[in-house]
Amino acid sequence: EIVGICGGYQMLGRELADPHGLESTACAVRKGLGLLAVRSVLELEKNLRQVEGVHNASGCPVRGYEIHHGVSAADGRPALALTRKDGQTRTDGAESDNGLVWGSYLHGIFDSDPFRRWFLDRLRQRKGMAPLGEIAAIYDIEPALDRLAATVRKSLDMNAIYRMLEL
């Protein structure tokens, strides 16, 4: 099973166009991993804004930074329906049909201990395990992300992934 979450939203999609040459010297359309029904186009202006609200499916408070240099069009199911502090409901990101891959421009969503517990409990239930229902670890994400990145790099054939992305 694959569970992809947040960061790299554009690369999780089917293709990424760079008409202004922001990330490459050629104004190319690059193949993505194809895990989400998303097509993205890098734009000249970078979007950066703090987002705070409630994740509709879980009822958990979330906050993070919406960071992206482009626009993505998702054909698949929305992943993160949020009701923001201003009362506006927005759908951020996309989810695969089987629910195993999520992508979003919202960075830091897993900093919310209740949301992270909800998310992990869903994975536990999918594996036939009982949800914990209570927060088992308080947020201290940077060392954990470093360990996760090291584990992922050891577990994957990165050269094969680079070939898939035609890099």
Side-chain angles (χ1 to χ4, degrees):
E1 290 184 350
I2 297 172
V3 178
I5 42 183
C6 294
Y9 174 42
Q10 295 170 328
M11 293 306 298
L12 290 171
R14 292 184 178 149
E15 66 182 43
L16 174 60
D18 186 4
H20 307 289
L22 298 173
E23 302 266 332
S24 64
T25 54
C27 298
V29 173
R30 294 228 160 137
K31 181 179 172 187
L33 292 172
L35 299 172
L36 295 174
V38 173
R39 287 176 172 74
S40 300
V41 178
L42 295 180
E43 298 291 342
L44 289 173
E45 190 173 321
K46 186 171 190 169
N47 293 290
L48 171 61
R49 71 179 134 256
Q50 190 168 17
V51 175
E52 193 170 341
V54 174
H55 175 249
N56 294 355
S58 67
C60 294
V62 294
R63 65 186 307 175
Y65 285 92
E66 188 176 297
I67 305 171
H68 55 100
H69 226 304
V71 177
S72 295
D75 299 329
R77 298 181 349 191
L80 298 171
L82 304 174
T83 300
R84 298 184 180 203
K85 271 182 104 171
D86 63 5
Q88 180 185 26
T89 297
R90 288 216 22 213
T91 302
D92 296 301
E95 179 178 358
S96 64
D97 289 337
N98 64 7
L100 293 177
V101 181
W102 280 19
S104 174
Y105 286 134
L106 187 58
H107 296 254
I109 192 167
F110 290 103
D111 295 358
S112 167
D113 295 329
F115 177 79
R116 189 173 61 251
R117 176 75 274 146
W118 173 83
F119 185 87
L120 292 172
D121 278 347
R122 284 181 62 229
L123 295 177
R124 290 177 62 86
Q125 289 172 312
R126 188 175 186 98
K127 290 292 194 180
M129 301 167 67
L132 294 181
E134 60 185 41
I135 296 168
I138 303 300
Y139 167 74
D140 186 14
I141 200 73
E142 288 304 321
L145 288 176
D146 291 342
R147 288 190 306 274
L148 175 62
T151 300
V152 168
R153 282 194 175 95
K154 285 183 203 171
S155 302
L156 296 176
D157 181 346
M158 294 304 295
N159 288 329
I161 291 173
Y162 295 145
R163 282 191 303 276
M164 284 174 60
L165 296 173
E166 298 175 358
L167 296 178

